[in-house]
Amino acid sequence: MTVGVALNASDAENQVDASVSLAREAAEAGLRSAWFGQTFGADSPQLAAIVGREEPRLHVGTSAVPVFGRHPLLVSSQAQTAQAATHGRYHLGLALGTKLITESGFGLPFERPIARLREFLTALRQLTRTGTADFHGELLTAAPPISARVPGAENGVPLLVAAMGPQALRASGELADGILPYLAGPRALEEHIVPALTAAAAAAGRPSPRIVALVPGVVTDDVEAVRAKATEQLAFYEQIPSYARVVELSGGRRASDVAVIGDERTVAAEVRRYRDAGATEVVFTSTDIAGEADRRRTWALLGELAG
């Protein structure tokens, strides 16, 4: 099982420089992948391309680019460029986004998100694999009159979706290469997410999808203080129905209830639970909430598990 970390250097003086530095440290610790979120700040595919080129020991990924406010042609250009820059080590994550961010940030109505996701994935797969497309959907058109191929990215780009609900899981199983569930504990994965995803993929005649579980986690001795900090940091997600639902399915009440916090033995056991629940990869997020020493301690353990 691959083990990686999400890197967040948005508070640094220079986010690109700091991300490269963190990626080198992650690789030295034995981690296998580094992932970058997408908000309204740094361009995640571009950041992943730079970091992946500077640190060839890591696979890099985006988690995740919202499909609202983007077009498959533009995202394909970004993803193929990142794939060429990293010589095949880039993984593109897509997300539905949220009503709040879509409507307040982009001024777009958050309507028919699953239909948009399906059309986006269909067009994007054609573009990233062949450099061309002739897609005319209800919501999107992608039919470039000239080639959209990026030399060096001929093998395509793995497409993952931040999917956890039944409809998104069905679309991802049929059209994507895997998923990026966040705040979904082992119980939610094993009982709800993995069965729905694999059934959809099997019905479509596709191989078993990847399940890259994004897990807030820290190795620390100060469990109570770190969990209190995690509760504060993760409270935002409790306002979003999809996250609130998956936390409940995981047996939690607050988002921080699914955070993995404890000593090395505790955290290693929880990582194994994710593997046993069907996760093919585990990516730790929020490893900086307890300070530098605990972050390094967390990465050291994850590097051992990756080995």
Side-chain angles (χ1 to χ4, degrees):
M1 179 178 66
T2 300
V3 180
V5 288
L7 301 182
N8 182 7
S10 57
D11 293 334
E13 183 175 338
N14 185 302
Q15 185 173 355
V16 175
D17 291 344
S19 296
V20 171
S21 179
L22 284 172
R24 286 177 175 153
E25 186 179 337
E28 288 296 330
L31 291 159
R32 304 293 177 83
S33 66
W35 296 77
F36 303 90
Q38 179 66 60
T39 56
F40 293 114
D43 181 77
S44 180
Q46 189 173 178
L47 185 59
I50 294 169
V51 169
R53 191 166 182 85
E54 291 288 321
E55 180 44 76
R57 290 173 290 183
L58 292 176
H59 283 251
V60 290
T62 295
S63 177
V65 175
V67 295
F68 283 91
R70 273 86 175 177
H71 189 278
L73 272 168
L74 299 180
V75 174
S76 172
S77 294
Q78 291 177 297
Q80 288 187 79
T81 302
Q83 193 66 298
T86 60
H87 295 272
R89 290 177 287 110
Y90 176 69
H91 309 258
L92 173 63
L94 300 171
L96 294 175
T98 67
K99 182 179 176 68
L100 172 65
I101 291 175
T102 300
E103 296 190 348
S104 63
F106 292 105
L108 297 172
F110 190 70
E111 297 174 350
R112 302 183 65 191
I114 299 300
R116 181 172 294 272
L117 174 65
R118 283 185 171 277
E119 292 193 6
F120 208 102
L121 283 168
T122 301
L124 187 60
R125 182 169 292 281
Q126 294 177 24
L127 290 164
T128 54
R129 287 192 171 180
T130 68
T132 188
D134 186 18
F135 180 81
H136 301 267
E138 293 183 67
L139 305 173
L140 295 169
T141 293
I146 59 176
S147 175
R149 183 180 71 89
V150 175
E154 286 81 3
N155 293 327
V157 180
L159 303 180
L160 309 169
V161 180
M164 295 183 291
Q167 293 185 71
L169 288 169
R170 189 177 305 117
S172 300
E174 294 171 4
L175 299 168
D177 299 304
I179 60 169
L180 294 155
Y182 180 50
L183 297 179
R187 182 194 298 180
L189 284 177
E190 183 174 16
E191 297 180 3
H192 300 278
I193 292 175
V194 174
L197 180 71
T198 53
R206 306 194 66 239
S208 297
R210 291 166 56 190
I211 294 130
V212 184
L214 301 175
V215 182
V218 180
V219 175
T220 183
D221 292 324
D222 196 356
V223 174
E224 186 175 336
V226 172
R227 191 167 294 280
K229 201 168 182 180
T231 299
E232 179 183 350
Q233 185 184 78
L234 298 172
F236 166 78
Y237 295 98
E238 297 163 10
Q239 308 169 49
I240 302 172
S242 59
Y243 289 110
R245 175 182 176 273
V246 81
V247 167
E248 183 178 357
L249 291 175
S250 301
R253 185 178 61 86
R254 303 294 306 271
S256 59
D257 291 339
V258 299
V260 176
I261 300 170
D263 60 15
E264 281 84 355
R265 185 174 180 177
T266 299
V267 172
E270 285 300 301
V271 171
R272 286 192 289 270
R273 284 188 66 215
Y274 275 90
R275 178 198 61 198
D276 294 343
T280 59
E281 299 152 68
V282 171
V283 174
F284 261 38
T285 69
S286 307
T287 59
D288 56 347
I289 61 175
E292 190 73 9
D294 281 347
R295 179 184 67 74
R296 293 178 184 274
R297 185 176 168 188
T298 304
W299 288 15
L301 172 67
L302 296 178
E304 291 178 15
L305 296 176

